[in-house]
Every structure is written in C-alpha cells, then in structure tokens.
Amino acid sequence: MKIVPHLLLWPVVCGFTSENSSRSSSDLARLTSSGTATSAEDALALLSEAKALRQEASMLQEQLNREKEERIRKEREKVDNLIDLLLFHGMNPESNTSEESKQQLLHTEEQVAQLLISKRMSFDMVNQCFDRIVEQANRPQSIDSCSPLLSLLLDAACQVDCIERKENPNKRWNGRVERDLRKKLFVLGYGIRIEDVQKKDAIRSITGEKDYF
C-alpha cells in the first residue's frame, strides 16, 4: 500500500500528539480534584452555618421561655396583690402572713363589695382572682365545698350584681359576675374547666359539629 506523506503530518497539524494527550488528561484530573475539594469545603461551610443557626435558635427559645416565665410571675404577683387588697385588712404584699392570721384579717362582705365598686373591678379582674384562689387551694373546689375566700368574693359580687346598672358607679361591672362565677364553680365540682367547654362550643358554632348520644 502506498503511504501518502501529507497524511502522516495530520496529527501534528491538529495538535493530537501523545504529549498533548497526556497534558490534557493531567489537566482534567487536576480540575476534577479541585472541584471535589471545593464541594467538600462548601459542604463543611453549610454544616457550620446550620450548626450556628441551631445554636442561635436554641438561645432565642431559651430567652423567650425566660420572658414568658417572668411575665407569668408578674401577672400572678399582680393578682395576688389584688386579692390581698380586696379580701384582707391592711395586707403587706411583702409579709409572710400565715393562713390562720389571714382568716382573722378578712374584710366583711360589704367591705369587699364596696372595693369592687370603688376599684372599678371588671368581670375579667374578678375572674383572675377566682382562678388564682382555686389554683392556690389545697383541695378541689365546688359549690358545696369551697374556700372561704371564694365564698366571700362571690357573695360580695352578688351584692354588686344586685345594684341597678345606672346606679352603679362602676361602669365596668356587667351585672352577671356572681352568676357566671358560680356556674364556673359548679362545673369545677365535676372536674370540668368552663373555659374548655366554652372553647369547644365556639369551635362547634363554626364547624356545625354536634354531639350524638
């Protein structure tokens, strides 16, 4: 077979020599290695960033929990002071007065009723006092057996409820405080929180759900 000389020069002209081929393979390997290293660095950077974000979220949650606990503590302290103001004679919030001594310092029903008017108490404020007294009681509360403090508060509220609305200087009073709280005390005797019942009723009014017996 006759060999054509110019065909032998074609690989040289096009640059496809063994030296160039070896160099291209080396460059490709180096690029691949560099890309792998970069991907590993990016992954480590993302992991580090995710760890930092988790730590930041954890610290933020702890701060929110502390703020919530402090808010609850302040609210309880405020209600405790309100109970002392309404039900007891000259109570000092800082003193550690015994329960027996407190019994002796109780206001009369008429005095509590007057304070409910003069301090412009609303149902929500009296309800907070009710809940706090129940919370601090050492036994379940019911209509037949309730704390003397609850009894005094409800009897005084009844007196204010009986005042004609136009004659009551306390315009925050809705005239149904004693009735609503006695209803609440009644269901407490059966271990039911009336707020849970009201919440369920509100949901049913929206969804149309009914009880089936």
Side-chain angles (χ1 to χ4, degrees):
M1 182 178 65
K2 186 177 180 181
I3 299 175
V4 182
H6 69 273
L7 293 178
L8 296 175
L9 297 176
W10 180 253
V12 178
V13 174
C14 294
F16 291 106
T17 64
S18 59
E19 182 181 352
N20 288 338
S21 177
S22 176
R23 186 181 303 118
S24 297
S25 299
S26 176
D27 290 343
L28 180 59
R30 188 163 53 253
L31 288 172
T32 302
S33 175
S34 176
T36 302
T38 302
S39 298
E41 290 175 359
D42 289 344
L44 288 174
L46 288 173
L47 286 173
S48 178
E49 184 178 353
K51 182 179 180 180
L53 288 173
R54 284 195 298 269
Q55 291 177 343
E56 183 178 351
S58 178
M59 292 174 61
L60 180 59
Q61 185 61 52
E62 289 177 1
Q63 180 181 350
L64 290 174
N65 290 340
R66 287 195 299 270
E67 291 176 355
K68 181 180 179 180
E69 291 173 359
E70 180 64 15
R71 185 169 62 253
I72 292 173
R73 186 193 66 78
K74 287 182 177 180
E75 288 175 355
R76 285 176 175 171
E77 183 178 339
K78 181 179 179 181
V79 175
D80 287 343
N81 290 339
L82 186 57
I83 291 172
D84 288 344
L85 172 68
L86 285 174
L87 304 183
F88 300 101
H89 286 285
M91 287 296 300
N92 179 2
E94 303 299 326
S95 65
N96 296 319
T97 308
S98 67
E99 290 302 318
E100 184 177 353
S101 298
K102 282 187 174 183
Q103 295 274 344
Q104 298 172 356
L105 293 171
L106 282 177
H107 278 143
T108 65
E109 182 181 317
E110 290 74 17
Q111 288 173 322
V112 177
Q114 187 56 45
L115 286 169
L116 290 173
I117 296 172
S118 63
K119 298 300 180 182
R120 301 180 69 241
M121 299 285 287
S122 65
F123 171 80
D124 288 338
M125 297 169 72
V126 180
N127 186 49
Q128 288 176 5
C129 293
F130 179 100
D131 288 342
R132 185 61 173 152
I133 293 171
V134 171
E135 180 185 344
Q136 292 183 311
N138 295 322
R139 56 186 172 82
Q141 303 295 299
S142 67
I143 289 289
D144 297 327
S145 177
C146 72
S147 161
L149 300 183
L150 276 186
S151 181
L152 175 59
L153 183 64
L154 293 177
D155 290 343
C158 180
Q159 280 199 22
V160 183
D161 280 346
C162 292
I163 300 175
E164 290 290 337
R165 188 172 181 82
K166 61 182 180 181
E167 296 178 3
N168 187 349
N170 181 6
K171 301 308 177 184
R172 292 181 177 179
W173 200 263
N174 64 18
R176 304 183 306 274
V177 175
E178 187 260 351
R179 184 200 69 181
D180 292 343
L181 290 181
R182 285 207 186 274
K183 179 180 177 181
K184 184 172 180 175
L185 183 60
F186 175 79
V187 297
L188 271 178
Y190 294 91
I192 301 171
R193 293 182 68 255
I194 198 167
E195 287 83 3
D196 295 338
V197 176
Q198 291 170 342
K199 182 178 179 181
K200 189 178 293 185
D201 288 343
I203 293 173
R204 285 174 177 165
S205 68
I206 295 173
T207 62
E209 179 186 353
K210 297 180 180 180
D211 285 329
Y212 295 94
F213 300 96

